[in-house]
Amino acid sequence: MAVSESERFEQFSSVLLTELLERTRKNMELLQPDRRPCAPLPFAQTPSFLDIYSEVVRVGIFPVVLSRRPVRAIVGDVDWARDGREYLQTLLDDRNNVVFPAWDYAWDALWDERKASAPSSSQETEKKKGGFFASLFGRKNAAKPEPKPNEGGEEEGGVMAGLYTMLNQLADKRGYLPLFRDDTRVFKALVRIKPGKIASAIKELSQYHHQEFVVQGKEQAKAGVLNDALQKWQFNLPDRVGEMLVIKCAVDLEHVNKTYIGKYIRQSARSQEEAEKGMPYLSIYWKAMPSAVTVQD
C-alpha cells in the first residue's frame, strides 16, 4: 500500500528532528569534561543544559525549520521510514543544503518574533503539550521582559531575551558561568559540525598531551605540540566551540593547569581585552582556577 503524502511528511519530520537533535546533542556531550572541574563551567558545557537545549530545539526551533518551503520540498518521493536517515545525512553533507539556512533563520527569529512563521498544526501540537517552553514560544502578544543592554550596547528583544534571562537564572542558581548574548552563534553552529570531528580533536589532543608530558626518552614529543594543536582546533572550530574544547582539556588533562592556560591565552591574544572578548569563557575559567601547586624538596 502506497504511503500517503501526509504520512510521508510526518515520517520526514520525525527523521529530520531526530537527526538535528542527535547531531547537536552528541557535540555538546563530547564537549563536556569527564573529570570534576576546579572552577565554574560555562552552563552550555554541562549535562543539565542538554535537556533544556533539546526542548528549545524541539519547541522553538524545529517548527520554524519545518515551515520553510525549501525544507518541506525535501520530502519528495523518498521512503523516509526505510531510507530516510541515510538520505538525510547525505543531504546534510552538502554545504549548500537547505536545512542549515533554515536552522540559522529559526535561531535568528528568536530575536524578532515577527520573523518566525511555524505551521499552525505544529503550534497547536506544542500548545497541547504545554510546559514553560511552549508558553514562551507561543505567546506572541504577551509583555516582553524589560530589555537589558548587553556588553556591546545593543538591546536584547524577542523570545531570546526571555530565554536568556531564564537560562542565566538557572546557571547562577547551579553555579555555572552565564550565557553571553552572542552564544546564539554556538547553538547555530553545532548542527554543522560532525560529531566525529570533535571526537577526533579530543583524541588528538589527548595523544599530544601524553606524548609531551607523560612519555619519556626518544618517544617524548617536543615541547609545545599540545599548545599548537589546541590553537589549531580552537580556531578551526566555530566560535565558543573551540574555546569549550580548551576548557575540557583544562579539566581532563593533568598538565593543562592554570599556568599552562595563562600562557596559552597570552599566546592566543595580543591583549587582555582581546582575550576577554574572543575567549570570554576561557578567560573567566582561567581566573577562577586554583594556582598550580609547587612541590618543595
Side-chain angles (χ1 to χ4, degrees):
M1 182 177 178
V3 178
S4 68
E5 184 176 342
S6 61
E7 288 177 308
R8 189 162 60 247
F9 182 80
E10 288 300 320
Q11 291 172 356
F12 160 72
S13 175
S14 177
V15 170
L16 180 59
L17 177 59
T18 298
E19 183 62 26
L20 293 176
L21 284 175
E22 288 190 3
R23 181 178 291 221
T24 50
R25 281 181 62 94
K26 183 61 177 177
N27 283 330
M28 298 180 80
E29 288 172 346
L30 287 168
L31 290 169
Q32 293 172 14
D34 295 322
R35 297 184 178 183
R36 183 186 297 273
C38 61
L41 286 173
F43 189 27
Q45 206 168 352
T46 65
S48 59
F49 185 80
L50 270 176
D51 290 338
I52 297 174
Y53 174 84
S54 296
E55 190 71 357
V56 169
V57 170
R58 186 182 64 81
V59 178
I61 301 299
F62 184 68
V64 179
V65 171
L66 201 62
S67 74
R68 307 300 287 170
R69 186 175 300 175
V71 174
R72 298 170 75 88
I74 295 174
V75 179
D77 58 358
V78 177
D79 186 335
W80 290 99
R82 186 187 66 189
D83 308 317
R85 188 173 186 190
E86 183 178 351
Y87 175 79
L88 183 62
Q89 289 175 337
T90 301
L91 184 148
L92 294 179
D93 285 341
D94 184 348
R95 292 186 177 182
N96 295 319
N97 72 77
V98 298
V99 176
F100 292 167
W103 171 268
D104 290 345
Y105 177 91
W107 280 105
D108 292 340
L110 295 187
W111 291 109
D112 183 357
E113 294 180 39
R114 293 168 299 179
K115 291 179 63 178
S117 176
S120 58
S121 58
S122 296
Q123 291 178 353
E124 289 302 319
T125 299
E126 298 306 336
K127 286 179 181 178
K128 290 178 181 178
K129 291 179 180 178
F132 172 79
F133 291 105
S135 63
L136 176 66
F137 290 110
R139 59 182 185 193
K140 296 298 181 183
N141 299 314
K144 297 178 183 177
E146 179 133 356
K148 298 180 181 179
N150 63 26
E151 295 178 355
E154 298 177 1
E155 292 187 344
E156 297 179 351
V159 172
M160 185 62 84
L163 186 59
Y164 268 134
T165 298
M166 183 273 290
L167 292 175
N168 283 341
Q169 287 173 346
L170 286 175
D172 181 65
K173 182 178 180 180
R174 301 178 187 182
Y176 301 126
L177 299 181
L179 301 171
F180 292 94
R181 180 185 186 276
D182 59 355
D183 281 347
T184 311
R185 292 181 298 171
V186 185
F187 309 141
K188 287 167 58 175
L190 284 170
V191 76
R192 286 177 162 82
I193 309 171
K194 287 186 176 181
K197 184 174 184 178
I198 295 180
S200 295
I202 294 170
K203 181 178 180 180
E204 179 182 306
L205 293 169
S206 179
Q207 289 174 339
Y208 279 135
H209 173 266
H210 182 78
Q211 291 168 7
E212 183 174 350
F213 295 105
V214 180
V215 175
Q216 300 295 321
K218 294 182 179 180
E219 299 300 320
Q220 186 175 26
K222 66 179 181 178
V225 294
L226 177 60
N227 182 85
D228 293 344
L230 281 169
Q231 289 192 338
K232 179 191 75 173
W233 283 111
Q234 179 180 346
F235 295 105
N236 282 339
L237 288 169
D239 288 341
R240 300 282 193 275
V241 176
E243 185 182 355
M244 290 181 185
L245 182 61
V246 177
I247 293 177
K248 175 179 171 66
C249 290
V251 178
D252 291 345
L253 303 182
E254 179 183 359
H255 297 279
V256 183
N257 53 27
K258 184 167 187 173
T259 301
Y260 188 100
I261 292 297
K263 182 179 179 181
Y264 176 84
I265 291 175
R266 290 192 296 273
Q267 292 178 339
S268 303
R270 292 170 293 184
S271 66
Q272 180 179 343
E273 182 180 1
E274 182 179 284
E276 291 176 349
K277 182 178 181 181
M279 299 176 287
Y281 282 134
L282 184 61
S283 298
I284 296 173
Y285 185 84
W286 167 70
K287 290 177 182 177
M289 292 175 74
S291 299
V293 177
T294 302
V295 179
Q296 300 292 334
D297 293 333

